[in-house]
Amino acid sequence: MMETSPITIAPVLLRNLLTSIFFYADKPLLSLAEKYKLLQFLRHLLISTFLFFLRLLPSLFPGLHPYPSSDHHHHHQNYPFTPSETDHNYVPTTTGGGGAGGSCGGSGIARALSQLLLIVNDIPVSSRKYEVVRSLAETLIDENLQEGFEALLEVNRTVLSAAFSRTLGQLEATAIDQERHRHRGNSGGGESGDHGTDYRLNRVLRAVRYCGDVVWTGFGKSRMEGLNRSGSSAEKLAAEVLWLAQKLSACGSVEEAVGRWASASNLAWLALSAEPRLQGSLVKVSAFLFKQVKDMGGEEVEEEAKEQQRQTKMKMLMSWLPLLCRASNGVEAPVLSIAERNELEKILEETIETLKQEEEQEKVLSLWLHHFTYCPSSDWPNLHACYARWCTASRKLLLRQ
């Protein structure tokens, strides 16, 4: 299962950049074209030429093509499609490119698990087939684990790791898409204002946005938006991220999931303004992975690995502590029980106290204090005792100097 990488995203970003520049330059021509038919004709010609150029772009720069040039039929594994697309385009693979990667990538069991996890991502949870496919995937993972052979454990670790990375990428993309639509909805109310200039500007922006969406859809965005059409909402994807993290933990390979979650600072920032249900799902993932953080390290770990783990803990706290302070307590029921919340508070304190005292602890506790203070709806997590201990230690350090 091929992970989303900067190389696979590059053509999309390049097309976006060129499209944005083109439509920005088109604004003056748009107003003039409304007055002169010749300019209107020229403008349509320019737009057609530009769209034709975008369509040729992948062939002009093969290295930037979003799919592997030697294996086009594998593209369904990199981008989620709607059922109608997968039904017609799917070609079974029996070679080593089955998506698991590494030495286990050529095995049938690795390809089977990869395919099952891909389908779990793609179909809606409301489908009667969803539980069937997820149950099959869970059975394969558990049976590989029970067998105890290193080759099967490596299949689990490799395939699950790739699936976690892909699902996390889809979750972030869906959260970005939802945030964009929310902003569009908020800005849409201003079009009926009294200022004629603002009204005309909004009309132009709306037209540009529409054209941009048409171009973007034609060159790949429809594949990402297929997530929503196929039922892969952000909340569903967050639940699957948690499930995959739990499976990775059972296989003794959760550190990679912790690292990826700790680095997902953009998603963490989007989560602060997300819908309460999505916030609750992300809190559950964070709570589970913070528990895994506590068990990372030990006396037998080398110094270099300890330093890496300390940096991961720091990223984890800086990224997700604000959400814990600001997230809703739950729409219908509490996201975490009282016992779970108390346990997580202790874990957070222990994790903070493993950081470098003067610098890193101050950054984390300052961040906590800000979000804890300015969130009127929650008094959790309560890290006052940890903050007081840091103040005492900092005071003693100053006096020693």
Side-chain angles (χ1 to χ4, degrees), residues 59 103 114-115 128 139 175 257 320 337 399-400:
S59 60
S103 60
S114 296
Q115 184 184 17
R128 62 187 178 86
T139 299
W320 294 102
S337 67
L399 294 175
R400 283 200 301 269

Side-chain angles (χ1 to χ4, degrees), residues 1-4 8 66-68 74-81 118 166 170 224:
M1 208 171 293
M2 188 173 292
E3 297 183 21
T4 302
T8 62
Y67 311 129
H74 285 158
H75 69 272
H76 63 277
Q77 296 185 8
N78 298 325
Y79 296 93
F81 282 73
L118 186 69
R166 184 190 64 248
Q170 291 175 351
M224 289 308 296

Side-chain angles (χ1 to χ4, degrees), residues 132-182:
V132 174
V133 176
R134 179 159 160 169
S135 177
L136 278 172
E138 192 148 10
T139 299
L140 275 184
I141 294 166
D142 292 344
E143 287 178 349
N144 287 348
L145 192 59
Q146 289 165 9
E147 289 289 338
F149 291 104
E150 182 57 32
L152 292 176
L153 295 176
E154 182 62 20
V155 166
N156 275 5
R157 288 192 291 263
T158 307
V159 177
L160 284 168
S161 177
F164 183 91
S165 178
R166 184 190 64 248
T167 307
L168 181 55
Q170 291 175 351
L171 172 58
E172 183 169 334
T174 305
I176 291 171
D177 192 53
Q178 289 180 354
E179 182 73 7
R180 188 181 69 248
H181 282 297
R182 189 171 69 85

Side-chain angles (χ1 to χ4, degrees), residues 86-330:
T86 54
D87 287 347
H88 296 293
N89 293 339
Y90 173 69
V91 179
T93 176
T94 56
T95 59
S103 60
C104 63
S107 69
I109 193 68
R111 289 193 296 273
L113 184 55
S114 296
Q115 184 184 17
L116 285 167
L117 293 178
L118 186 69
I119 294 172
V120 166
N121 277 167
D122 197 47
I123 62 176
V125 72
S126 58
S127 169
R128 62 187 178 86
K129 301 292 181 67
Y130 179 83
E131 284 301 328
V132 174
V133 176
R134 179 159 160 169
S135 177
L136 278 172
E138 192 148 10
T139 299
L140 275 184
I141 294 166
D142 292 344
E143 287 178 349
N144 287 348
L145 192 59
Q146 289 165 9
E147 289 289 338
F149 291 104
E150 182 57 32
L152 292 176
L153 295 176
E154 182 62 20
V155 166
N156 275 5
R157 288 192 291 263
T158 307
V159 177
L160 284 168
S161 177
F164 183 91
S165 178
R166 184 190 64 248
T167 307
L168 181 55
Q170 291 175 351
L171 172 58
E172 183 169 334
T174 305
I176 291 171
D177 192 53
Q178 289 180 354
E179 182 73 7
R180 188 181 69 248
H181 282 297
R182 189 171 69 85
H183 279 296
R184 283 183 181 178
N186 291 341
S187 62
E191 293 183 3
S192 60
D194 296 330
H195 302 288
T197 302
D198 291 342
Y199 176 71
R200 285 192 295 272
L201 179 61
N202 281 327
R203 285 186 61 192
V204 172
L205 291 174
R206 187 170 58 182
V208 169
R209 187 185 297 134
Y210 171 76
C211 293
D213 283 347
V214 169
V215 173
W216 177 234
T217 300
F219 293 95
K221 184 187 174 191
S222 60
R223 292 173 181 141
M224 289 308 296
E225 289 189 341
L227 282 169
N228 289 331
R229 290 196 299 272
S230 65
S232 291
S233 65
E235 188 182 349
K236 171 186 179 285
L237 290 168
E240 287 167 5
V241 164
L242 175 59
W243 176 65
L244 290 167
Q246 291 168 339
K247 291 301 175 185
L248 278 167
S249 178
C251 296
S253 187
V254 77
E255 283 198 24
E256 187 174 349
V258 170
R260 291 186 182 278
W261 190 253
S263 299
S265 55
N266 190 33
L267 176 62
W269 179 77
L270 290 168
L272 296 179
S273 57
E275 294 295 322
R277 288 183 183 277
L278 176 56
Q279 284 188 336
S281 298
L282 296 175
V283 166
K284 287 180 180 178
V285 179
S286 298
F288 176 77
L289 291 177
F290 267 119
K291 291 176 185 177
Q292 309 310 308
V293 165
K294 184 188 72 168
D295 299 328
M296 286 170 53
E299 294 300 325
E300 69 281 359
V301 179
E302 297 178 0
E303 284 302 317
E304 186 177 347
K306 281 185 179 180
E307 176 63 19
Q308 182 63 42
Q309 290 169 353
R310 187 186 57 76
Q311 291 177 11
T312 299
K313 292 175 181 179
M314 181 69 178
K315 287 181 182 178
M316 188 82 167
L317 289 162
M318 294 297 290
S319 293
W320 294 102
L321 191 54
L323 177 66
L324 298 184
C325 293
R326 291 184 174 270
S328 168
N329 289 325

